[in-house]
Amino acid sequence: WYQRRVRGGSDAKIRLFRLEDNNIFELRTLTDQSLKWIWCLQFTEDSKFLFVSSSAGVVQMWSMRDFNLRRNYRGHKKSVVTLSLFENRPKHIPSVQSKS
């Protein structure tokens, strides 16, 4: 049994980790330089997809089965600093844009 964790930051890299028996193992690094600064990362409830928000004003959906980028959601003109997923409304991804 293990837990999956993820982190991102100013290097535009998404790092996936596995936590098992009090040890941390890096599983994979996903990179998209167009993201710039990564603000928010959230798995779907079933862990099949990872949603990523960034300072590029885009939200991305990554497949956790093959680790490929599946979709870019565009519309914000500034950084997307947070997002939420509603499993019962899969076509709705509320997100918040920064003021600056």
Side-chain angles (χ1 to χ4, degrees):
W1 182 85
Y2 71 89
Q3 294 180 333
R4 193 180 318 193
R5 296 289 187 242
V6 65
R7 74 173 275 285
S10 62
D11 61 359
K13 292 181 181 175
I14 303 161
R15 289 186 171 86
L16 298 164
F17 298 92
R18 182 183 80 209
L19 301 175
E20 185 174 1
D21 299 326
N22 294 323
N23 294 305
I24 299 172
F25 305 96
E26 187 166 352
L27 294 173
R28 183 173 297 264
T29 299
L30 310 174
T31 305
D32 183 344
Q33 292 302 321
S34 70
L35 289 177
K36 301 179 184 175
W37 188 282
I38 296 171
W39 283 99
C40 187
L41 302 126
Q42 186 165 348
F43 287 107
T44 55
E45 194 172 293
D46 59 10
S47 295
K48 290 182 180 178
F49 297 97
L50 174 67
F51 284 83
V52 179
S53 70
S54 73
S55 61
V58 68
V59 174
Q60 293 185 332
M61 180 176 74
W62 291 80
S63 168
M64 292 294 98
R65 190 180 80 212
D66 59 13
F67 303 103
N68 287 320
L69 177 62
R70 292 290 184 210
R71 187 165 184 182
N72 282 308
Y73 297 89
R74 300 187 187 280
H76 291 284
K77 295 186 185 334
K78 298 181 182 177
S79 298
V80 181
V81 295
T82 189
L83 57 93
S84 294
L85 301 179
F86 292 96
E87 299 296 325
N88 60 344
R89 301 184 97 187
K91 294 184 179 181
H92 294 64
I93 306 169
S95 55
V96 177
Q97 173 176 289
S98 72
K99 291 182 179 182
S100 57

